[in-house]
């Protein structure tokens, strides 16, 4: 059995985990169509060491793993908070004035 | 007598026949370079030479021909797809397959069996009905059969209701067949080589010469290999497993995730199963080969790996479902196991045709459905490379479809559970 070292629960059978794809930067909302298409559809699909999201299903815990896709060796796992330290600012920008409208 | 045999064996009058001509040096330049010597690449070379008279062609393979996914699939041929684009495309392939043994003058062990896609839920039955109607609309022999009728057609299966997933019915596809996969690759390879195409094995592509994009589209001019750089008029990328890495060398990304798909065969048994049985819900597909082995495949692995290793999890899962379908095979032993690398696209349809690089064409994204498409890909790729126009039948599979949001949603017709 393949064992995944979960940062929260310790070593567990890989069947307890779900794969969540490569770690990618979320593009800015106004980045343009090509960047969004790249983000949604296109894959790096790297043959080598990649940084990926993994999910421990029984404890609903997302974390990050570094894995070599050529050998399937899990090199390192750590909590997502290790790389995502900043809080996302969800406060709404001031509404733009509709064209032609006068206040 | 033993001396006579020894004398015969040592005599020079009986050389071992070469199937492919001996390897030569690479030439400086080719009209067309095909990256990848699997079924698709070799078929393209074959039809380029046979139908279009273009023989200044080099097929490059980093290993040996047919040594990749062409030799790692479960050899099933069918056209019972879900979308009109897919149905038309795979139907052309099935038709080509039927004459292939004559074309090659080689026995491909093509064997029409009938293909049954089992439905274990009402939702699956509904998809089978949908597929049957789309198929029939295009003149393809597919029919929904319900449980009682299916029991008469394939009596070997377990129709008990005391299982996790009782069989409710199936999509019956009469033209479903199997063929010997190595023979398909060798038939195309030998046919192409006989007509003057050069096949270079152990020749890995390490990069491409692309003219810089000064405002206009970049254009391919040459191919760098481990045996030197060659000039190329046009390049076709027809690799599987490493599609993303090769495309990156040409400067663009693909919507492909590479995931292993594992398969295995049992020890040979007396012939008892003449149908090809597939179940997406149970993650099983099984047929009995001409040698009597049960050829079994399952679902793709849950995450990407660039390796052709087998895992215990896979076999445990597959065997559990096999025993549910055919309980009497409990004592049968496994003989061989392997994995192939499948290039999965988001819409379960291939990527064919033009790319962002001029004169660089692609044939990729073959996921778990590439073997059955070998002849049509070869024929239509050859037409595209010879004329410079993308044939209508492969146009819907363009890479551009992700930009235009015109995906070909084929997931419902995948035999493999995902």
């Amino acid at each position: 059995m393949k064992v995944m070292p979960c940062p929260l629960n310790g070593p567990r059978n890989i069947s307890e985990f779900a794969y969540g794809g490569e770690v990618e930067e979320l593009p800015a909302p106004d980045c343009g169509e090509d960047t969004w298409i790249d983000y949604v559809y296109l894959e790096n699909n790297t043959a080598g060491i990649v940084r990926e999201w993994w999910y421990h299903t029984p404890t609903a815990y997302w974390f990050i793993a570094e894995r070599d896709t050529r050998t399937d060796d899990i090199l390192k796992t750590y909590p997502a908070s290790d790389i995502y330290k900043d809080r996302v600012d969800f406060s709404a920008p001031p509404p733009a004035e509709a064209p032609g409208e006068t206040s | 007598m033993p001396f006579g045999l020894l004398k015969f064996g040592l005599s020079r009058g009986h050389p071992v026949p070469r199937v492919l001509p001996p390897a030569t040096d690479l030439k400086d330049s080719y009209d067309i370079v095909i990256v990848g010597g699997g079924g698709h690449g070799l078929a393209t070379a074959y039809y380029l030479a046979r139908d279009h008279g273009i023989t200044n062609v080099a097929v490059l393979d980093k290993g040996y021909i047919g040594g990749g996914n062409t030799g790692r699939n479960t050899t099933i041929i069918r056209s019972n797809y879900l979308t009109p684009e897919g149905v038309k495309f795979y139907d052309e392939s099935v038709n080509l397959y039927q004459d292939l043994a004559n074309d090659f003058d080689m026995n491909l062990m093509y064997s029409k069996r009938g293909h049954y896609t089992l439905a274990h839920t009402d939702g699956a039955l509904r998809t089978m009905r949908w597929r049957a109607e789309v198929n029939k609309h295009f003149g393809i022999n597919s029919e929904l059969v319900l449980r009682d009728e299916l029991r008469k057609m394939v009596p070997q299966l377990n129709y008990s209701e005391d299982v996790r997933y009782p069989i409710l019915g199936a999509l019956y596809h009469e033209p479903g067949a199997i063929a010997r996969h190595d023979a398909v690759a060798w038939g195309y390879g030998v046919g192409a080589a006989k007509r003057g195409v050069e096949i270079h094995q152990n020749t890995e592509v390490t990069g491409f010469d692309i003219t810089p994009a000064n405002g206009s589209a970049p254009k391919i001019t040459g191919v760098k290999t481990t045996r030197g750089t060659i000039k190329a008029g046009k390049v076709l990328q027809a690799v599987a497993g490493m599609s993303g890495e090769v495309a990156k060398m040409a400067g663009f990304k693909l919507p492909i995730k590479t995931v292993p798909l594992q398969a295995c065969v049992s020890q040979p048994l007396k012939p008892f199963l003449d149908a090809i049985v597939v179940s997406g819900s149970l993650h099983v597909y099984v047929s009995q080969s001409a040698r009597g082995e049960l050829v079994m495949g399952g679902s793709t692995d849950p995450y990407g790996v660039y390796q052709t290793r087998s895992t215990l999890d896979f076999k445990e899962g597959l065997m559990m479902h096999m025993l549910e379908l055919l309980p009497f095979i409990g004592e049968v032993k496994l003989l061989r196991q392997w994995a192939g690398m499948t290039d999965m696209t988001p819409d379960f349809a291939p990527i064919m045709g033009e790319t962002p690089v001029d004169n660089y064409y692609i044939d990729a994204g073959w996921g778990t459905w590439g073997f059955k498409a070998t002849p049509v890909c070869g024929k239509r790729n050859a037409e595209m490379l010879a004329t410079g126009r993308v044939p209508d039948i492969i146009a819907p599979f363009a890479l551009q479809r992700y930009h235009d949001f015109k995906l070909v949603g084929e997931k419902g017709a995948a035999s493999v559970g995902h």
Side-chain angles (χ1 to χ4, degrees):
Chain A
M1 282 296 164
K2 195 164 184 67
V3 171
M4 165 72 92
C6 175
L8 183 67
N9 304 287
R12 286 285 191 280
N13 188 333
I14 193 111
S15 62
E16 290 186 21
F17 296 88
Y19 169 74
E22 284 188 39
V23 174
E24 277 187 273
E25 200 71 33
L26 187 73
D30 57 352
C31 63
E33 204 171 63
D34 284 348
T35 314
W36 273 113
I37 288 163
D38 188 308
Y39 179 72
V40 174
Y41 291 122
L42 304 186
E43 302 286 344
N44 292 320
N45 201 25
T46 309
I49 295 166
V50 287
R51 200 154 69 159
E52 303 168 325
W53 287 104
W54 282 80
Y55 178 68
H56 184 243
T57 315
T59 56
Y61 176 68
W62 281 104
F63 61 95
I64 291 171
E66 286 178 15
R67 190 171 64 94
D68 192 331
T69 57
R70 291 164 302 189
T71 57
D72 197 16
D73 288 332
I74 298 159
L75 307 171
K76 207 168 145 189
T77 58
Y78 45 87
S81 55
D82 281 12
I83 54 170
Y84 292 103
K85 294 183 193 310
D86 300 330
R87 292 187 71 82
V88 178
D89 183 14
F90 288 109
S91 58
E97 264 182 35
E101 215 175 285
T102 49
S103 52
Chain B
M1 179 59 190
F3 282 114
L5 193 62
L6 190 66
K7 213 171 136 190
F8 179 87
L10 293 174
S11 68
R12 284 165 183 276
H14 308 279
V16 180
R18 282 200 81 96
V19 183
L20 286 177
T24 55
D25 286 340
L26 285 170
K27 286 196 283 186
D28 291 337
S29 143
Y30 294 93
D31 293 340
I32 293 169
V33 173
I34 296 170
V35 184
H40 289 216
L42 294 168
T44 305
Y46 175 85
Y47 290 112
L48 273 173
R50 196 196 74 174
D51 296 351
H52 303 279
I54 299 172
T55 56
N56 188 19
V57 176
V59 181
L60 311 180
D61 197 285
K62 74 171 175 182
Y64 58 95
I65 69 166
N69 289 328
T70 304
R72 292 175 183 277
N73 54 69
T74 44
T75 77
I76 295 168
I77 297 159
R78 64 186 175 95
S79 62
N80 54 357
Y81 273 73
L82 183 63
T83 64
E85 296 87 350
V87 168
K88 278 189 274 187
F89 178 77
Y90 294 103
D91 185 45
E92 182 166 315
S93 211
V94 168
N95 290 333
L96 285 165
Y97 255 122
Q98 288 170 358
D99 295 330
L100 217 51
N102 283 335
D103 276 11
F104 295 163
D105 194 17
M106 182 195 259
N107 186 0
L108 298 185
M109 295 160 92
Y110 184 90
S111 168
K112 205 190 264 190
R113 298 292 184 88
H115 183 279
Y116 296 81
T117 313
L118 303 181
H120 305 270
T121 62
D122 290 346
L125 267 185
R126 184 177 156 275
T127 309
M128 299 315 161
R129 163 65 72 199
W130 179 4
R131 283 168 66 181
E133 295 308 318
V134 174
N135 283 203
K136 277 188 272 186
H137 182 71
F138 292 100
I140 290 159
N141 194 348
S142 290
E143 194 61 72
L144 183 76
V145 287
L146 295 176
R147 186 188 162 83
D148 291 340
E149 202 181 342
L150 182 65
R151 194 200 292 263
K152 289 178 206 145
M153 298 167 94
V154 194
Q156 297 89 342
L157 302 180
N158 177 13
Y159 292 93
S160 164
E161 293 191 17
D162 299 327
V163 291
R164 256 177 99 195
Y165 299 103
I167 297 168
L168 301 182
L171 176 68
Y172 168 53
H173 178 56
E174 188 263 345
I178 53 175
R180 187 163 140 68
H181 44 7
D182 299 318
V184 173
W186 281 93
Y188 277 123
V190 171
K194 218 190 284 175
R195 290 169 173 84
V197 169
E198 288 183 19
I199 296 170
H200 293 283
Q201 307 183 68
N202 294 315
T203 308
E204 187 172 349
V205 170
T206 55
F208 296 105
D209 283 334
I210 294 171
T211 53
N214 297 327
S216 60
K219 191 177 171 184
I220 195 100
T221 56
V223 180
K224 294 176 197 157
T225 77
T226 47
R227 294 169 60 206
T229 302
I230 45 180
K231 287 199 192 82
K234 286 174 182 169
V235 172
L236 173 73
Q237 172 187 331
V239 300
M242 299 303 273
S243 294
E245 295 291 309
V246 175
K248 268 183 241 169
M249 289 196 271
F252 59 94
K253 275 165 81 177
L254 293 173
I256 285 176
K257 285 181 191 156
T258 301
V259 182
L261 175 68
Q262 304 184 42
C264 55
V265 298
S266 73
Q267 65 187 120
L269 306 171
K270 282 185 180 176
F272 75 96
L273 183 67
D274 53 358
I276 302 164
V277 179
V278 168
S279 165
S281 311
L282 290 184
H283 307 299
V284 163
Y285 38 98
V286 57
S287 63
Q288 193 171 18
S289 75
R291 278 191 292 240
E293 300 156 336
L294 287 176
V295 183
M296 298 169 277
S299 57
T300 50
D301 280 16
Y303 57 94
V305 178
Y306 279 92
Q307 242 188 2
T308 50
R309 53 97 178 95
S310 292
T311 61
L312 183 63
D313 302 22
F314 156 77
K315 276 173 291 295
E316 283 178 344
L318 178 59
M319 292 315 136
M320 188 174 74
H321 292 310
M322 281 297 297
L323 285 173
E324 189 170 314
L325 273 186
L326 304 164
F328 56 90
I329 63 163
E331 298 298 314
V332 175
K333 291 186 170 56
L334 274 194
L335 193 66
R336 289 194 306 279
Q337 51 182 323
W338 68 90
M341 288 192 282
T342 56
D343 286 347
M344 305 305 297
T345 55
D347 55 355
F348 285 60
I351 296 164
M352 296 188 76
E354 290 169 324
T355 68
V357 180
D358 262 8
N359 289 343
Y360 188 94
Y361 298 87
I362 193 161
D363 176 320
W366 286 106
T368 60
W369 47 87
F371 174 68
K372 67 178 75 64
T374 305
V376 66
C377 285
K379 191 160 181 242
R380 296 307 188 160
N381 280 335
E383 181 187 336
M384 176 171 68
L385 289 163
T387 63
R389 285 191 309 274
V390 178
D392 288 348
I393 199 164
I394 64 173
F397 306 121
L399 178 58
Q400 183 66 26
R401 74 177 183 270
Y402 296 96
H403 293 260
D404 301 340
F405 208 68
K406 285 184 183 164
L407 274 65
V408 185
E410 206 64 91
K411 190 170 184 177
S415 294
V416 186
H418 297 281

